[in-house]
Structure formats: structure tokens, C-alpha cells
Amino acid sequence: MTAQIMDGKAVGAAIRREVAEGTAELRARGFRAPGLAAVLIGENPASKVYVSSKVKACAEAGIFSDKIERPATVTTEDVLQIVRDLNTREDIDGILVQLPIPKQVDEGAVLRAIDPTKDVDGFHPVNMGNLVLDQRGFEPCTPAGIMELLKRSGVDLKGKNAVVVGRSHIVGKPMALMLLREHATVTICHSRTQDLPGVCRQADVLVAAIGKPALITHDFIKPGAVVVDVGINRVTDPAEAERYFGGDPDRMKQVREKGSTLVGDVLPTAMWEKASLYTPVPGGVGPLTIAMLLSNTLKSAQMRLRA
Ligand code: NAD
């Protein structure tokens, strides 16, 4: 069987274009630009990269952005004050607090302080509740992006067995709820699941959001399954890369020349050989997360401006 890729890069770019058209239309009708505030605390290099990509993507989509940076020594009260200010700002439609935040800051209190109508990451309990109850609200960007990718790739979920591996609040759990809403029969697996390969083999649609390189191998995948790989793991060891990618010359070159390559939670050779459709890493799920953040910010502005 030759597996086809679900092209997250292309779908992400299409969503970003649609958002840019939406913001241009708002402006043409005399409204202000949508606004996103990104709160970045401390010096986590990955968080810095994520926030810069979000700021850049905003600019390209005609969204105003404000990056608010604080040192790692901030208190919960400092962050709550930033959030309260952003809640009242007329020019801000979306607030994101880049996670993880330093341990001394109460993450739950910070997320709860965000005005749910500006919670474009969809992590506020009100928005999580809306998702559970199938009501309108903001939805976490990564699983929302995956739903968009499945839809635009023509995957019919009705009555299908969907297995989600991972139960995090930002990916696994909301993913399962969204698949359920589309009438899939959903199973959620996690680190204590017994016979993980056996459960995964039942899946017509398998979503891996674990954070363990190539944990899902050939014997987890039903022939012809649709496989979505959310994991992002860096591989530096050439022998490991050789094993994951079956000696794929491009990947081996990357490890040799750049010192690393990325692998998901699914063994690439297993997806290539057993899936009907799959998301590559990189270029699968990754590009959708930011696209959905922009889309949520536009939606928030349209609601706030009653446009
Ligand atoms: P997390 O660490 O919060 O959750 C991991 C989940 O995997 C847990 O629920 C745990 O029970 C489960 N798990 C761990 N070991 C397991 C095992 N051996 N067998 C079965 N289940 C196991 O992670 P997360 O935030 O959900 O992220 C998961 C992965 O997705 C990470 O690699 C992360 O980098 C990536 N991610 C990618 C994007 C993107 O935009 N592409 C967005 C978010 C997360």
C-alpha cells in the first residue's frame, strides 16, 4: 500500500490566507485590525521561538500583535495583573500565555484569569466546558487544526474507530472530544493503558500525542489506517535516525550536516508501509497550530467588533 501524506503545510498556508482575507475585509469595512497579545515569561528557547513565529504569522495575516516579556522571576500576582490589563484592552482580541511558565507561577490561576472571550488558546475551563457540551467557544489550536486537516483531506469520521494516544489537556483530551463530536467511536489511551498495540490496531484513525520518539511501530497500525502524528522529538544519533527512517538519504544528510532531525511519536517506516493517509513530521500537524491561533483571533475580533 502506498500511503499518501496529509499536507499540513499546505492546509496551514490555506487557513492563513483565509485569515488574511478576513482581516483585509474587516479593515476595508472600516474596522480596526484584530489584535493578539503574547505573554512570554523567562528564557525558555523553544518558547521564544514559538512566540516569534506567532508574532511573524500575525504580521503576515494583518493581525496586530503585542509581545509582553517578563523575567523568569515574576510572581503569580505579576502575571495576573498583566492578564487583567489585557482583558480590558480595546485593541486586544486574543491573549495567549506561552506555556510552560515558571513553577512558582500558578498556571491554573493565570489561565482562569483570561477573559474566556479572549482565550484564543482555548485552555480556559469555560471554553473546555463549551467543548464538552458541544457549544460555541474557542478550541485548543492543535486538535482544532487536526480536525481541519482531516476534513480538508476528505476523511469521513462518522462511525469510525478513533484511538487517541495521550490525554493531555492541550492535545489528547480535546482531540478525543472533537472526534466524538464528528461521530467517531473514540478510545483514549495513556501511559497506563494495557495492550497499547492491540488497542491501537483497532483504529481506523489513530492520533499519537505522546512525546516519545517512534513509540508507535508497525504492529500498532491497522493496514490502511489514517495516522496523525502530533509528536515532535529531536533525534541526534545517526544510528537511531537510520532505524527510524530506514536510511532515508535526506534525513541522514540532515543529521550529518545539521546535527539533528525531527521524528514524531510514530515510526515513519511504519506509517509509510501501513497507513493510507498520514501526517509527516515536520510539515504535518505543526503548521496547523499557529494557523488556528490566527483563525481564533480573527473570530474573536469579528465577535467583539460585531462585524
Ligand atoms: P504531555 O506530555 O502533556 O502528554 C503526553 C501524554 O502521553 C500523557 O497523557 C501520557 O499519559 C501519554 N503517554 C506517555 N507515555 C506513554 C506511553 N508509553 N504509552 C502511552 N501513552 C503515553 O504531551 P502533549 O503536550 O500532549 O504533547 C505530546 C507531543 O505532541 C509532544 O511531542 C509535543 O511536543 C507535541 N505537540 C505538538 C504540537 C504541534 O503543534 N505539532 C502541539 C502540542 C504538542
Side-chain angles (χ1 to χ4, degrees):
M1 170 170 313
T2 326
Q4 306 277 319
I5 68 161
M6 287 184 281
D7 192 344
K9 229 175 173 169
V11 170
I15 295 170
R16 283 156 70 147
R17 264 196 313 277
E18 288 158 19
V19 172
E21 283 161 19
T23 59
E25 199 222 0
L26 266 187
R27 301 303 302 274
R29 289 165 55 213
F31 293 103
R32 64 166 170 78
L36 176 73
V39 182
L40 174 62
I41 302 169
E43 299 294 325
N44 181 327
S47 294
K48 284 187 167 186
V49 171
Y50 289 140
V51 169
S52 329
S53 335
K54 289 169 185 176
V55 166
K56 183 163 166 267
C58 278
E60 286 166 9
I63 293 174
F64 158 75
S65 68
D66 191 358
K67 181 161 89 172
I68 295 157
E69 290 183 89
R70 291 291 183 275
T73 51
V74 284
T75 64
T76 301
E77 188 46 43
D78 295 333
V79 185
L80 288 177
Q81 194 50 53
I82 294 171
V83 169
R84 284 186 210 114
D85 290 345
L86 293 171
N87 283 345
T88 59
R89 263 174 65 175
E90 294 288 337
D91 58 340
I92 293 297
D93 303 291
I95 301 170
L96 80 87
V97 177
Q98 185 64 45
L99 301 178
I101 51 183
K103 292 230 170 342
Q104 80 278 6
V105 179
D106 181 344
E107 181 183 304
V110 169
L111 296 182
R112 281 193 302 277
I114 296 173
D115 177 345
T117 70
K118 294 191 177 186
D119 172 39
V120 285
D121 262 339
F123 298 156
H124 190 285
V126 164
N127 282 317
M128 282 290 176
N130 285 332
L131 178 58
V132 173
L133 298 171
D134 293 328
Q135 293 186 3
R136 277 165 58 107
F138 291 113
E139 301 187 342
C141 298
T142 301
I146 293 170
M147 293 308 286
E148 205 52 47
L149 181 64
L150 290 171
K151 193 165 120 199
R152 296 186 193 211
S153 306
V155 176
D156 179 17
L157 293 165
K158 212 173 296 161
K160 298 286 163 57
N161 285 338
V163 173
V164 180
V165 190
R167 56 174 162 184
S168 72
H169 295 160
I170 61 169
V171 190
K173 220 179 266 181
M175 181 82 258
L177 289 165
M178 290 175 198
L179 291 164
L180 185 63
R181 188 173 56 194
E182 294 304 317
H183 315 293
T185 302
V186 182
T187 306
I188 307 177
C189 299
H190 46 79
S191 52
R192 319 277 171 89
T193 296
Q194 291 181 15
D195 186 21
L196 186 63
V199 180
C200 290
R201 266 198 309 275
Q202 302 296 314
D204 302 307
V205 177
L206 177 62
V207 181
I210 314 163
K212 300 258 155 71
L215 180 110
I216 305 290
T217 53
H218 288 78
D219 61 335
F220 291 61
I221 303 175
K222 177 177 174 173
V226 173
V227 180
V228 176
D229 190 354
V230 188
I232 304 174
N233 310 287
R234 198 164 285 285
V235 189
T236 52
D237 176 12
E240 212 179 322
E242 169 95 37
R243 202 165 64 245
Y244 294 155
F245 296 101
D248 178 66
D250 290 344
R251 295 300 192 130
M252 298 315 294
K253 187 165 170 238
Q254 254 184 36
V255 179
R256 264 196 323 274
E257 291 177 6
K258 295 191 179 157
S260 70
T261 188
L262 293 180
V263 70
D265 294 338
V266 186
L267 180 67
T269 54
M271 287 197 285
W272 302 340
E273 288 161 24
K274 298 202 74 175
S276 57
L277 281 174
Y278 72 96
T279 57
V281 176
V285 173
L288 300 164
T289 303
I290 293 186
M292 295 314 288
L293 176 74
L294 302 178
S295 166
N296 279 350
T297 305
L298 172 63
K299 186 169 111 182
S300 178
Q302 286 166 333
M303 289 192 306
R304 188 157 290 96
L305 298 167
R306 298 184 208 292

